[in-house]
Amino acid sequence: MAVPTVWSYGALRDHAMYFAEHLPIEDAQRRVLMLVNPGLQEPPATVNTLYAGIQILLPGEQAPAHRHTSNAFRFVIEGSGVYTTVAGERVHMNPGDLLMTPGMQWHDHFHPGDDPMMWLDGLDYPLINKLEAGFHDIYADEFQKSESPDDISTRQYIHGRLNPTWLRRDSPNTPVGNYPWAETERALAAIGDDVDGCEHDGVALEYTNPLTGGAVLPTIGCRVHRLKPGFAGRPRRHTPSTIYHVVRGHGSTQVGDRLLEWHPHDVFVVPGWASYQHHNGAADDDAVLFSYSDEPVMRALGLHREESL
Ligand code: GTQ
């Protein structure tokens, strides 16, 4: 069973840098630290349906193309310059950006920049493997060629209320390749202090599929939360399992009987039906959290349930 856990970015970063030095990317293909929940070691998972990993790519390195039925996203932690090619489109990555790699889309990564780049990988493979629906293909060439204008899916769909009329899509996945951090910040700033937001989750915004208004992936919903200075959330529990990443700020989350203290770029988990209560530890600064959960699965199966405590 998943247990409340926090992974400190300081320790993860040191490990990632060590592996980057000692393990050539050609041998690894992907260099990822899996955040294995102490209660879910075999098979390894971060919460029962979802996985989190910290991936590192050094300047000049390339991670070759493959695809799999698992849905994935990346949330950029530090560095810039990398582009990931998803289904023939180059999508550029900058800190705070949320990039989509829906199931069965070919993807490879290339780092033409100057500094090591690190990001959080989120995948639903613990769920997909449990469903015995895990398939994986290696691309015929090492890398994909660019087949469309760079970042075009983001440029066409990020506005959300002005969608291309000439593209017909019948897919459960968002057509947006990248939800850039600049847009996320703009959305939070536009609201400002004029609303209180959710008494449990703060000013929490859901990243949505602009064509449906629904979650970005059929199995994963993503959110950004602004916890105002001094925010003390009201406790609650819900059936979705949630993984949090600290974008900025310091604070703590009481999860069941464990107090998880968090700092910038840490990752922590709230297992399904565990009570949780967020605190922003700073009286004069925001805390911003990114989160992802299996809420779309719970809702699709009629299993979504929540309780204020
Ligand atoms: O970057 O393509 O953490 O395919 C796990 C599976 C990263 C990736 C992961 C993957 C990738």
Side-chain angles (χ1 to χ4, degrees):
M1 225 172 118
V3 295
T5 309
V6 57
W7 288 265
S8 133
Y9 187 61
L12 293 172
R13 193 179 192 284
D14 287 349
H15 276 96
M17 293 301 285
Y18 178 88
F19 279 116
E21 240 172 74
H22 292 86
L23 179 64
I25 191 74
E26 295 76 18
D27 296 346
Q29 304 228 339
R30 300 288 190 278
R31 242 194 248 105
V32 183
L33 293 173
M34 298 173 58
L35 307 190
V36 180
N37 192 294
L40 297 173
Q41 308 216 24
E42 201 46 58
T46 310
V47 290
N48 52 353
T49 49
L50 301 172
Y51 148 96
I54 302 291
Q55 181 159 172
I56 180 167
L57 200 64
L58 298 180
E61 290 186 335
Q62 301 184 317
H66 67 198
R67 67 178 186 182
H68 34 72
T69 46
S70 276
N71 294 291
F73 71 80
R74 312 181 197 291
F75 188 88
V76 181
I77 301 173
E78 64 172 281
S80 60
V82 169
Y83 60 78
T84 178
T85 305
V86 180
E89 178 187 325
R90 291 176 176 178
V91 187
H92 289 84
M93 301 172 64
N94 286 292
D97 291 359
L98 172 67
L99 295 102
M100 293 295 139
T101 310
M104 289 318 270
Q105 298 201 352
W106 296 109
H107 53 284
D108 54 80
H109 320 310
F110 177 51
H111 192 351
D114 298 322
D115 298 305
M117 196 154 173
M118 239 107 35
W119 62 82
L120 173 77
D121 286 320
L123 286 94
D124 58 6
Y125 82 74
L127 173 66
I128 301 299
N129 288 347
K130 230 359 178 201
L131 296 172
E132 300 183 346
F135 296 88
H136 183 276
D137 300 315
I138 305 287
Y139 196 58
D141 293 325
E142 233 181 335
F143 306 102
Q144 301 169 79
K145 291 194 181 62
S146 167
E147 286 167 2
S148 45
D150 289 8
D151 297 298
I152 190 64
S153 64
T154 306
R155 290 188 278 134
Q156 288 182 124
Y157 284 104
I158 195 65
H159 313 288
R161 306 249 171 262
L162 289 169
N163 295 315
T165 56
W166 62 94
L167 297 172
R168 287 276 173 269
R169 297 208 22 149
D170 181 20
S171 157
N173 309 311
T174 177
V176 177
N178 181 6
Y179 293 82
W181 182 246
E183 297 288 337
T184 306
E185 273 203 311
R186 196 168 303 150
L188 289 171
I191 296 169
D193 289 330
D194 288 337
V195 298
D196 291 333
C198 167
E199 60 181 342
H200 311 286
D201 287 347
V203 180
L205 304 179
E206 169 124 10
Y207 295 87
T208 54
N209 177 337
L211 299 181
T212 64
V216 288
L217 295 166
T219 51
I220 307 178
C222 295
R223 293 183 178 174
V224 64
H225 310 241
R226 173 180 171 232
L227 309 183
K228 293 182 191 180
F231 177 83
R234 181 171 168 199
R236 85 157 148 195
R237 58 184 173 177
H238 47 49
T239 46
S241 297
T242 313
I243 299 175
Y244 287 88
H245 169 73
V246 182
V247 180
R248 65 188 186 91
H250 303 263
S252 62
T253 301
Q254 180 76 38
V255 188
D257 58 8
R258 284 209 55 194
L259 182 68
L260 306 179
E261 296 197 32
W262 39 259
H263 302 282
H265 308 319
D266 291 353
V267 178
F268 65 94
V269 299
V270 176
W273 211 240
S275 66
Y276 71 94
Q277 181 175 25
H278 298 306
H279 290 278
N280 178 353
D284 52 4
D285 211 356
D286 287 350
V288 179
L289 305 175
F290 166 81
S291 75
Y292 61 110
S293 80
D294 56 12
E295 182 174 332
V297 177
M298 292 298 179
R299 288 198 184 275
L301 299 181
L303 299 172
H304 188 265
R305 183 182 276 251
E306 63 187 17
E307 190 174 270
S308 273
L309 298 165

